[in-house]
Amino acid sequence: MGQGLAGALLGGFLLAVGPSPALAGKANDTLVYASDSEPENLSPYHNSLREGVILSRNVWDTLLYRDPKTGQQQPMLATAWTWVDPLTLDLTIRDGVTFHNGDPLTPEDVAFTFNYVLTPEAKIVTKSNVDWMKSTEVTGPHSVRIHLKAPFPAALDYLAGPTPILPAAYFKKVGLDGFSKAPVGTGPYRIVSTASGKGVKMARNDAYWPGSPIGKAKIGKLEFRVIPDGDSRMAELMTGGVDWIWRVPTDQADQLKRDPTLTVLSAETMRVGFLQFDVQGRAQENSPLKDVRVRQAIAYAIDRKAMVDNLVRGGSRVMNALCFIEQFGCTDEGVPVYSYDPAKARALLKEAGYANGIDLDLAAYRERDYAEAVIGYLRAVGIRVRLNYLRFAAFRDAVRGGKVSIAYQTWGSYSIDDVSAFTPVFFGGGDDDVTRDPTVIAELKAGDTSIDPALRKAKYAEALKRIAAQAYALPMFSYPSNYAFTADLSFTAQADEIPRFYAASWK
């Protein structure tokens, strides 16, 4: 990095971040990583923020493990599995695994976890991750049986992702609140302390079970720090306060590449940004968004390709279907495409009776510059938009509560390579479905539950076409992720947007 850039950054930001304790880095065997947001609850079932997913993958284990290189399922906490029939899955639970508090892993922990998260009292955040299950029973000293509500071909993908196993006895003793403050898992790192608004400190689980497909963590200590301001995160990286940051804006990432003490990686991820519209008109009396022509006008007004080329970059792609295009069942064939056409946008507004423009609100929780770019495009065609920038938990509750006209959503599908982890979350009739189109709900349910891959693809395609034709939402683009970290660190980025810190090592 040139001294001019470094000096400008340091001079402008050091006063903001203050002095940092020299705890990060190779010398202290402590990998400190920073991000802009923190999950509202550390229980992996009670947040959907990507930062929570990262913690989950480093602290908790799942029954199966999906190899990111091959995509194949491997044994993890389950050593074997057998489909008895399309509604019944038998699994053998590994012996000799202990939770971080010393309790042994048993089939009872598996059954408790899955039965608990299905109860209304659990109030989990993303119900679609588990509501394909009907119940789980213990069938022997080392075995469980999962009963499904309907056939669900993606079941094994979910058992390798957003379904970690909780310690039954401990969870029952401390409850959800106590568990969030002092979480316990079986994974390669154990949580040693938490501080709301500041972060989480972890230590290597030296008793981690042998034979795990991910192996024992190589770095002794791991610390997650919450630093909301991007400039402050960069300054901390440059001064050695943290070792690893991500979501670095592309222009800054290009500049950081010139610093020999840092490594910068860029990769497209499965995350997709999209605008979700208040189709039912709950957020505003006589909402213009109840008219499909207004929603289509918004779609035509935004130059998504220009945003990708000039703002997002990093390998991102425009998405025309509401899913990540590489997922099974995701297709944009036959899906209406909204090319940038501000004249058509104005004509549609006039046709809908809004020749003088309209006033709306837009809520967002990350990448404020992306949301502001959208607002600029809409203003150019007469759609005046007020930005409401929120923390994620408040954003999610406002959208679900019908208090948001346009929501700038992003979704990473919990890194599951199946469209069932994306589109049905927002259009399958669950908590995040603000549209409630019975036709779309039925098509997605048919796609989720059919054991015929061709039929699954056909049903998903029908749903995606209808979502686009009615402009219930506007897919924007896939998200890249720019990672910047100390050159002392050996770290590999994956397209599933999961930093595997347990696999990182010092050079």
Side-chain angles (χ1 to χ4, degrees), residues 131-403:
D131 66 2
W132 51 274
M133 292 186 274
K134 181 180 180 181
S135 63
T136 301
E137 62 176 316
V138 176
T139 54
H142 303 292
S143 58
V144 298
R145 171 168 287 183
I146 299 176
H147 298 278
L148 280 66
K149 294 178 180 177
F152 189 59
L156 298 183
D157 290 326
Y158 283 74
L159 293 179
T163 53
I165 304 304
L166 307 177
Y170 177 71
F171 194 95
K172 291 175 184 177
K173 178 181 178 181
V174 302
L176 176 58
D177 184 59
F179 188 79
S180 179
K181 294 175 181 176
V184 169
T186 63
Y189 282 100
R190 56 184 177 85
I191 292 177
V192 297
S193 68
T194 65
S196 179
K198 295 183 179 179
V200 180
K201 293 183 178 181
M202 292 158 273
R204 180 171 53 214
N205 177 13
D206 289 326
Y208 192 52
W209 52 279
S212 166
I214 65 175
K216 184 178 288 189
K218 298 177 177 63
I219 294 176
K221 295 179 182 179
L222 187 62
E223 182 177 343
F224 164 50
R225 287 184 58 193
V226 182
I227 305 177
D229 180 68
D231 292 336
S232 298
R233 288 195 303 276
M234 183 177 296
E236 286 275 30
L237 176 69
M238 295 172 62
T239 57
V242 303
D243 301 298
W244 184 101
I245 62 174
W246 69 340
R247 298 174 184 162
V248 179
T250 301
D251 56 344
Q252 293 181 2
D254 291 341
Q255 294 171 323
L256 289 177
K257 289 177 182 178
R258 301 200 298 268
D259 186 341
T261 69
L262 299 175
T263 300
V264 178
L265 295 178
S266 301
E268 183 190 34
T269 73
M270 293 176 63
R271 181 169 299 277
V272 174
F274 62 97
L275 302 183
Q276 186 179 25
F277 301 127
D278 178 30
V279 175
Q280 297 182 13
R282 294 188 297 164
Q284 181 177 326
E285 187 175 359
N286 301 318
S287 173
L289 291 173
K290 296 172 71 173
D291 191 321
V292 64
R293 293 169 295 186
V294 172
R295 302 193 299 269
Q296 290 172 337
I298 292 173
Y300 282 117
I302 301 169
D303 193 344
R304 295 173 293 160
K305 182 64 165 56
M307 289 184 67
V308 164
D309 292 343
N310 303 307
L311 183 61
V312 186
R313 297 187 288 169
S316 64
R317 291 177 284 174
V318 171
M319 295 285 147
N320 292 308
L322 194 77
C323 45
F324 179 61
I325 196 63
E326 306 296 341
Q327 288 177 307
F328 175 89
C330 183
T331 179
D332 54 13
E333 292 185 13
V335 171
V337 175
Y338 295 95
S339 302
Y340 178 53
D341 192 338
K344 191 165 188 176
R346 294 188 191 94
L348 282 166
L349 288 174
K350 183 177 181 180
E351 183 182 324
Y354 300 105
N356 295 325
I358 55 178
D359 294 281
L360 295 170
D361 64 280
L362 182 149
Y365 70 97
R366 54 180 285 178
E367 284 86 33
R368 186 180 188 127
D369 52 341
Y370 296 0
E372 290 174 342
V374 167
I375 290 172
Y377 281 119
L378 295 181
R379 186 181 298 117
V381 299
I383 302 174
R384 300 171 292 274
V385 179
R386 174 179 57 85
L387 175 62
N388 190 11
Y389 195 76
L390 303 167
R391 290 183 177 272
F392 177 72
F395 167 86
R396 182 196 63 216
D397 292 345
V399 176
R400 289 179 174 181
K403 300 176 181 179

